[in-house]
Amino acid sequence: MDLNLLRRDTPGCSNVIHLNNAGASLIPKPVQHAMQDYLVQETDFGGYETADKYAPAIMAFYDQAATLLNTRSSNIAYATSATDAYNLALSAVPFKNGDVVLLTENDYPSNFITLLSLQKRYGIRLELVKNTPSGEIDLEDLENKIKQHRPVLVSVTHVPTSSGLVQPVAAIGDITTRLDTLFLLDACQSLGQLPVDALAIKADFISGTLRKFLRGPRGAGLLYVSDKVLHAGLEPLMPDMRGADWTSTFTYQARKDAKRFELWEKNYMSVIGSATALKYANDIGIQAIANRNEILCGFLRKELASVPGVQLMDRGAQPCSIVTFAMQGRQETGAKQYFRDRGINLHTTTRQSAMIDFEEKGVDWVLRVSPHYYNVEEELERFVEVLQEW
């Protein structure tokens, strides 16, 4: 990994120490240029005509996403965000009154809200799977609850937004496959920083975003749909003429591939940018990225452990590139701005995003620092210096 080249590819590195990659990463120049070039073509020649001209580059989105997830392009759909992708998957499940959905105590807050809304509307029932003492989902409890409740769906967030916990998703997939239960994985925070192998995980759906560790544009996401789901004929609640053909006055036929989950209208400039970002990550190699992130975050956690008043909050056997900690005697108000004023981007997470987790940890908010492979140790040292001056 040529860090000098990667940083030259990232103009933002000259302006800021960016440690908010779990929010939105700095976009590299190839992504910027691809989107700018596409917009110029749309401006000069028209939207439909430009989409036709760029058809091979647009299709590269599906090929590059498939490479990242170790699947086929026919299993990939474009979405406008991870939440959009997650909700599209949910809409394909034919919920009825009394159906059970299992989820973890560390699922993403938007997922909780959506499922609570479905509970209100359709009368489904939500059941939480216990955690192990180290914070991950308790696999024994998961298996027992599947056998007890026969849920229609298991929903798991691979890496929560509020901590560096990594769930054992391949083991979860083994259980849901063996017990023939639909498995929806929210990989919003893991795509681009950790390997996410659809075949190894055996999830039926995987949702993700481009703006975080994949370093793509905002307003872009993806959805992986398994062959099992496609062959079962599951489809989104409200397809349009992108996802289905109108076959007679009162009939339609859904597409055979995952594009049945797409809508006809989309921002093709973002598709082009997303394809470029995916290729950028694939060219570096997701395992090389994960290895570099492990070094950076190990270094950062060691530095933070020596700072008076810092309480590291991340749990789990396999911490990732999200580092969260509480700071004794400090309030959340003004924290982000303090660091921004000193040229450092980071994020704060409040209890509203982690009701169960933060209740257990006994905190109301944490600082969330999320380095990525293009960051360097000197930037982390500078962050710790600024933190000590706070």
Side-chain angles (χ1 to χ4, degrees):
M1 186 179 291
D2 187 339
L3 283 174
N4 290 328
L5 174 61
L6 294 172
R7 289 176 67 80
R8 286 197 301 271
D9 264 354
T10 309
C13 287
S14 300
N15 305 320
V16 68
I17 297 174
H18 190 72
L19 302 177
N20 188 23
N21 295 285
S25 283
L26 295 178
I27 290 177
K29 284 192 289 187
V31 175
Q32 173 197 358
H33 294 162
M35 295 177 69
Q36 288 175 330
D37 291 346
Y38 189 89
L39 181 59
V40 169
Q41 291 292 311
E42 270 200 336
T43 302
D44 290 347
F45 298 104
Y48 283 27
E49 294 74 16
T50 301
D52 289 342
K53 178 180 177 181
Y54 276 75
I58 290 167
M59 288 304 299
F61 166 82
Y62 303 95
D63 295 333
Q64 293 294 335
T67 297
L68 183 75
L69 290 168
N70 189 29
T71 186
R72 297 186 301 275
S73 59
S74 59
N75 295 105
I76 299 295
Y78 178 83
T80 60
S81 68
T83 298
D84 179 37
Y86 182 90
N87 290 344
L88 284 167
L90 274 186
S91 79
V93 182
F95 292 113
K96 61 183 184 300
N97 186 274
D99 282 343
V100 173
V101 175
L102 297 184
L103 67 165
T104 77
E105 296 181 356
N106 288 289
D107 267 26
Y108 186 56
S110 291
N111 302 348
F112 265 100
I113 291 169
T114 298
L115 288 166
L116 288 168
S117 176
L118 291 175
Q119 178 176 264
K120 185 192 305 184
R121 178 165 297 191
Y122 294 115
I124 66 171
R125 187 157 52 91
L126 306 182
E127 292 284 343
L128 292 174
V129 182
K130 295 177 183 176
N131 288 338
T132 64
S134 59
E136 297 96 343
I137 187 173
D138 186 319
L139 296 173
E140 182 178 354
D141 189 53
L142 172 64
E143 182 160 347
N144 290 338
K145 281 192 165 68
I146 291 176
K147 291 176 179 177
Q148 176 186 354
H149 298 292
R150 304 311 304 173
V152 295
L153 181 71
V154 172
S155 170
V156 176
T157 298
H158 195 176
V159 174
T161 191
S162 58
S163 78
L165 178 77
V166 181
Q167 296 283 19
V169 290
I172 295 169
D174 287 339
I175 294 170
T176 57
T177 299
R178 176 162 46 83
L179 298 179
D180 194 25
T181 306
L182 283 175
F183 174 23
L184 168 54
L185 178 66
D186 178 348
C188 185
Q189 290 289 12
S190 54
L191 285 182
Q193 68 144 318
L194 297 171
V196 180
D197 187 323
L199 294 183
I201 294 170
K202 303 187 185 76
D204 296 290
F205 298 100
I206 300 175
S207 59
T209 188
L210 270 294
R211 66 179 160 89
K212 296 180 183 287
F213 292 97
L214 282 171
R215 306 185 65 194
R218 299 196 68 174
L222 62 84
L223 176 66
Y224 161 84
V225 184
S226 70
D227 287 340
K228 171 186 168 183
V229 167
L230 296 173
H231 294 157
L234 296 184
E235 60 187 56
L237 181 60
M238 291 180 284
D240 75 355
M241 61 185 184
R242 169 64 168 173
D245 292 324
W246 192 20
T247 52
S248 74
T249 304
F250 294 110
T251 63
Y252 70 90
Q253 178 64 52
R255 290 183 63 130
K256 300 294 185 185
D257 61 11
K259 296 181 187 67
R260 72 176 64 164
F261 286 85
E262 293 187 359
L263 296 178
W264 187 84
E265 180 58 23
K266 54 180 64 68
N267 183 343
Y268 282 102
M269 181 177 68
S270 289
V271 178
I272 292 292
S274 298
T276 308
L278 286 161
K279 183 178 187 303
Y280 197 88
N282 285 331
D283 286 348
I284 296 171
I286 191 63
Q287 190 58 59
I289 290 172
N291 293 344
R292 172 64 181 161
N293 286 347
E294 184 177 2
I295 292 170
L296 284 172
C297 290
F299 177 85
L300 176 58
R301 288 187 173 96
K302 183 178 179 181
E303 291 292 305
L304 287 172
S306 65
V307 177
V310 164
Q311 183 182 1
L312 291 166
M313 287 292 169
D314 298 315
R315 303 170 68 189
Q318 181 196 349
C320 67
S321 200
I322 295 178
V323 180
T324 62
F325 61 94
M327 189 69 179
Q328 187 177 2
R330 294 295 175 184
Q331 300 297 317
E332 192 267 340
T333 302
K336 285 187 290 188
Q337 193 60 50
Y338 168 82
F339 289 96
R340 283 180 186 174
D341 290 344
R342 289 152 183 80
I344 300 171
N345 291 344
L346 49 70
H347 192 64
T348 58
T349 301
T350 64
R351 187 175 288 223
Q352 190 175 10
S353 294
M355 298 286 290
I356 301 170
D357 185 37
F358 282 13
E359 178 72 25
E360 184 179 337
K361 291 175 177 175
V363 295
D364 291 320
W365 71 283
V366 297
L367 284 155
R368 188 185 74 182
V369 182
S370 48
H372 207 10
Y373 60 87
Y374 61 82
N375 290 120
V376 291
E377 284 81 351
E378 290 79 6
E379 292 177 316
L380 302 182
E381 288 173 341
R382 174 57 183 158
F383 161 67
V384 172
E385 288 175 5
V386 171
L387 177 66
Q388 290 174 314
E389 295 167 358
W390 190 17

